[in-house]
Amino acid sequence: IQATFIPLLDDEKKVNGGLIVLTDITELRKLETVRNDFVANVSHELRTPLTSMVGYLDTLLESNIQDPETRDRFLKIIKEETDRLSILIKDLLNLSKIESKSFDLKVDNFEEILNKVVNLLKKNAEDKDIKLKVEIADELPPVYMVREQIKQVLINLIDNAIKYTPEGGKIKINVEEEGDKVYFSVKDSGMGIPKADQERIFERFYRVDKARSRSLGGTGIGLSIVRNIIKQHGSNIQVKSREGVGSEFFFYLKSAK
Ligand code: ADP
């Protein structure tokens, strides 16, 4: 709480009273902390690949590595870190774009966009021998959405399901209508998420297992993008998960029937 004293003067300019204004700055402080944390996180996330790149580049430049295999190995690592950086920057720009704007929802076909995304990611599932099953209710009504944003949500959620499910697993996508809402869910038979982490995974850069996420090409931003977009659609992204059993992510969109 911040207190400000405003003196009240009488005709002779003498203080004869005062006003104390109490301002609750908890929210302000919280916002400030969140912003500071964000900057610290971004700097750290950008620095990690850069440090590794500089290390390998220095070694290549300074020591006289003749062995072409070692040179290639180093160059490959540098290339991977460069790719990582560009994905990270793309995700960050995407997130700030979504956070700074509000969007006009339009009446659109959810099924069509879901099928597109499934086709896009089918191969990733096949490569891991994962069974991907899609069940869409008949005569699904159109919904209110921003097509590109919902496409991004579906990509992030389904891509995660594939990433965090081991070879030979199962993923089930379900779309159904209930009242004036269309519910989407993606359920995987993956590693699951510990209870304590389930709320936090939607925070920027939060990852249950940093090393694993990193090795799978993750940036820790995907789910915060999802949460933001779904919020702008007047809904909420939710998760149910059990460690070692699997996870289910779901949200609804308002039907435009
Ligand atoms: P990342 O780029 O690391 O995948 P996300 O923001 O998409 O970042 O997800 C945050 C974290 O949530 C992941 O690092 C992972 O620990 C966890 N997670 C997300 N989806 C799943 C899933 N389907 N199964 C298990 N863990 C998941």
Side-chain angles (χ1 to χ4, degrees), residues 151-165:
K151 183 175 175 195
Q152 186 69 57
V153 164
L154 296 174
I155 290 178
N156 291 3
L157 291 178
I158 300 170
D159 187 50
N160 274 350
I162 299 170
K163 270 194 330 200
Y164 298 107
T165 296

Side-chain angles (χ1 to χ4, degrees), residues 31-216:
L31 223 71
E32 222 168 81
T33 319
V34 168
R35 197 166 39 224
N36 288 342
D37 284 356
F38 180 59
V39 172
N41 275 332
V42 171
S43 315
H44 174 79
E45 295 293 330
L46 291 175
R47 198 179 292 143
T48 313
L50 266 178
T51 309
S52 146
M53 279 157 72
V54 170
Y56 282 105
L57 280 170
D58 280 346
T59 317
L60 278 174
L61 288 170
E62 282 160 17
S63 63
N64 200 356
I65 297 176
Q66 302 290 355
D67 173 25
E69 252 171 51
T70 312
R71 282 187 69 94
D72 278 0
R73 195 161 54 82
F74 283 14
L75 285 171
K76 222 178 124 220
I77 296 172
I78 294 168
K79 171 74 169 72
E80 278 166 13
E81 296 290 9
T82 318
D83 289 345
R84 232 189 107 62
L85 266 180
S86 42
I87 290 174
L88 183 61
I89 290 165
K90 197 186 82 212
D91 278 0
L92 277 171
L93 287 175
N94 214 339
L95 182 66
S96 83
K97 222 165 61 190
I98 292 157
E99 282 184 343
S100 63
K101 273 201 272 191
S102 60
F103 298 92
D104 284 334
L105 304 181
K106 294 205 169 73
V107 176
D108 210 332
N109 185 334
F110 181 75
E111 185 169 351
E112 191 183 299
I113 201 78
L114 173 62
N115 284 331
K116 264 192 194 151
V117 173
V118 167
N119 274 327
L120 206 72
L121 297 175
K122 214 165 48 187
K123 173 126 194 339
N124 295 359
E126 276 165 17
D127 287 349
K128 286 180 79 178
D129 206 18
I130 290 173
K131 257 204 214 98
L132 183 61
K133 203 169 152 201
V134 185
E135 241 170 57
I136 303 175
D138 291 337
E139 295 173 40
L140 206 66
V143 296
Y144 289 106
M145 69 178 194
V146 181
R147 178 172 272 254
E148 277 314 301
Q149 308 291 1
I150 290 300
K151 183 175 175 195
Q152 186 69 57
V153 164
L154 296 174
I155 290 178
N156 291 3
L157 291 178
I158 300 170
D159 187 50
N160 274 350
I162 299 170
K163 270 194 330 200
Y164 298 107
T165 296
E167 299 241 340
K170 271 190 282 190
I171 294 174
K172 197 166 166 228
I173 292 168
N174 233 308
V175 186
E176 41 194 84
E177 184 186 3
E178 223 187 281
D180 58 351
K181 294 178 177 115
V182 169
Y183 281 86
F184 165 89
S185 71
V186 53
K187 189 173 181 176
D188 64 56
S189 68
M191 50 196 282
I193 304 159
K195 193 112 205 110
D197 296 302
Q198 286 178 18
E199 269 301 307
R200 304 207 59 195
I201 50 174
F202 299 102
E203 293 171 19
R204 292 176 289 209
F205 299 117
Y206 192 83
R207 286 160 285 185
V208 176
D209 178 343
K210 266 203 177 187
R212 185 195 292 261
S213 153
R214 194 171 145 72
S215 72
L216 292 168

